[in-house]
């Protein structure tokens, strides 16, 4: 007899529809992939009935008062607009139900900006959490005891699971399925949903290029593209400064102001991010090192360990092909 895990997905007026339907689709597909019912999905709201998502799509929900808060294996609050989240977090009856449900569940958490509701309700206090990239700084300022990871797609801290923006809720829920039912079932779910690849939680919400471009001025954005196309080549600051039409000293200062990183740190981040993307392939470490601008595999390994705390070989063993 297989256990039937009860899943609560919390919705509200103004919810981001994909924050609900994405996880629901993952757990539903897992039932099919496993060959037996493993999850029973409940879409809940404080009062039940139809709730209007931010996109106008209406979701039919069950009322929290109709269900025992102690019956759920997993409880996830979806993200949504500020008004909807604020109204949800101020609902005293919902707060009481969530406190009891999360205390008795095996795990609980949020998708996207749902982390703000968790924090407001006191359901995360000193944990490491993720949220949508636009809200990371705001969440960190509002709740300074939290460790807000601005890069991770999703974070597991004890029984708390939180994900970043929107589609990362799908990645997180596939990780939950893998934990419950095994990697084979989770991989089958990925194929069913036509997900290109199961992204692990450590992977950044953005590549270093996109992350820096979100901060950089228009002039530097073009340079960042140029750097990204030449990671296998020497990229001295003097060369970059010449291309930007500045002195090396002025370029270093303005690049730091524009991107939040020194040129050397930014280039190393890009090279290591490319290495991390290539490691699951069958390419040799020597070949990957060359494609990422390192003279030797040993040089790449030293930088990789310094940044990620594991060797490229161990990373490949954990996440890629032997």
């Amino acid at each position: 007899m297989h256990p039937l895990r009860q899943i609560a997905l919390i919705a509200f007026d103004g919810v981001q529809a994909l924050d609900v339907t994405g996880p629901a689709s993952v757990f539903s597909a897992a039932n099919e992939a496993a060959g037996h019912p493993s999850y029973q999905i409940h879409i809940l709201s404080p009062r039940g009935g139809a709730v209007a998502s931010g996109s106008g799509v209406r979701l039919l929900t069950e009322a929290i008062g109709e269900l025992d808060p102690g019956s759920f294996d997993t409880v996830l609050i979806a993200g949504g607009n500020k008004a909807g989240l604020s109204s949800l977090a101020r609902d005293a009856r919902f707060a009481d139900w969530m406190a009891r449900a999360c205390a008795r569940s095996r795990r609980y958490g949020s998708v996207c900006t749902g982390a703000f509701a968790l924090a407001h309700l006191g359901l995360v206090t000193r944990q490491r959490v993720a949220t949508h990239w636009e809200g990371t700084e705001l969440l960190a300022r509002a709740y300074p005891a939290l460790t807000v990871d601005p890069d991770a797609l999703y974070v597991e801290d004890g029984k708390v699971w939180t994900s970043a923006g929107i589609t990362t809720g799908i990645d997180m829920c596939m990780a939950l399925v893998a934990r419950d039912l095994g990697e084979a079932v989770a991989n089958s779910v990925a194929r069913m949903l036509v997900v290109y690849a199961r992204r692990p939680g450590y992977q950044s919400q953005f590549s270093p290029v996109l992350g820096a471009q979100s901060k950089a001025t228009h002039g530097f954005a073009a340079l960042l593209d140029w750097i990204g196309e030449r990671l296998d080549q020497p990229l001295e600051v003097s060369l970059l400064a010449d291309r930007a039409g500045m002195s090396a000293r002025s370029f270093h200062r303005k690049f730091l102001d524009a991107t939040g990183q020194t040129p050397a740190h930014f280039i190393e981040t890009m090279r290591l991010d490319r290495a991390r993307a290539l490691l699951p392939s069958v390419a040799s470490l020597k070949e990957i090192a060359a494609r990422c601008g390192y003279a030797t595999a040993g040089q790449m390994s030293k930088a990789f360990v310094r940044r990620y705390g594991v060797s490229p070989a161990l990373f490949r063993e954990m996440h890629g092909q032997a």
Side-chain angles (χ1 to χ4, degrees), residues 131-143:
T131 192
H132 191 282
W133 65 271
E134 286 188 317
T136 53
E137 292 182 5
L138 178 60
L139 184 62
R141 287 198 305 269
Y143 303 95

Side-chain angles (χ1 to χ4, degrees), residues 46-47 64 86-96 121:
R47 289 164 185 78
I64 57 170
S86 296
S87 177
L88 182 72
R90 292 195 305 267
D91 188 312
R93 190 163 62 98
F94 173 70
D96 177 69
L121 295 171

Side-chain angles (χ1 to χ4, degrees), residues 15-243:
V15 72
Q16 165 59 246
L18 193 57
D19 288 357
V20 178
T21 59
S25 295
V26 170
F27 292 119
S28 176
N31 286 336
E32 183 177 348
H36 54 77
S38 296
Y39 300 105
Q40 185 171 2
I41 304 154
H42 301 268
I43 300 176
L44 308 179
S45 67
R47 289 164 185 78
V51 300
S53 71
S55 64
V57 174
R58 299 178 73 81
L59 303 174
L60 187 61
T61 68
E62 301 173 79
I64 57 170
E66 298 172 359
L67 298 164
D68 176 8
S71 63
F72 291 98
D73 173 84
T74 304
V75 180
L76 298 175
I77 299 181
N81 62 36
K82 183 178 179 180
L85 281 168
S86 296
S87 177
L88 182 72
R90 292 195 305 267
D91 188 312
R93 190 163 62 98
F94 173 70
D96 177 69
W97 188 92
M98 277 294 293
R100 288 184 289 151
C102 293
R104 297 169 65 181
S105 68
R106 182 165 61 100
R107 60 199 177 197
Y108 66 90
S110 61
V111 178
C112 195
T113 53
F116 283 87
L118 285 182
H120 182 85
L121 295 171
L123 297 171
V124 289
T125 52
R126 297 184 179 277
Q127 288 92 339
R128 176 170 161 258
V129 298
T131 192
H132 191 282
W133 65 271
E134 286 188 317
T136 53
E137 292 182 5
L138 178 60
L139 184 62
R141 287 198 305 269
Y143 303 95
L146 292 175
T147 299
V148 182
D149 191 326
D151 296 318
L153 295 185
Y154 57 86
V155 170
E156 175 189 7
D157 189 341
K159 65 185 289 185
V160 177
W161 290 69
T162 53
S163 76
I166 308 177
T167 58
T168 62
I170 293 174
D171 297 295
M172 181 178 76
C173 290
M174 286 197 292
L176 296 177
V177 168
R179 184 70 57 84
D180 295 341
L181 305 177
E183 294 288 337
V185 171
N187 289 337
S188 293
V189 170
R191 289 192 294 271
M192 287 180 185
L193 299 182
V194 200
V195 176
Y196 176 70
R198 284 180 52 213
R199 299 181 293 179
Y202 60 77
Q203 186 169 320
S204 299
Q205 294 192 49
F206 291 116
S207 71
V209 173
L210 292 178
Q213 281 179 337
S214 69
K215 300 177 182 178
T217 61
H218 176 71
F220 273 117
L223 179 64
L224 301 187
D225 286 336
W226 187 87
I227 292 171
E229 294 169 356
R230 293 165 176 80
L231 291 177
D232 59 339
Q233 303 172 23
L235 292 169
E236 302 295 336
V237 171
S238 57
L239 173 66
L240 304 182
D242 285 344
R243 183 161 185 87

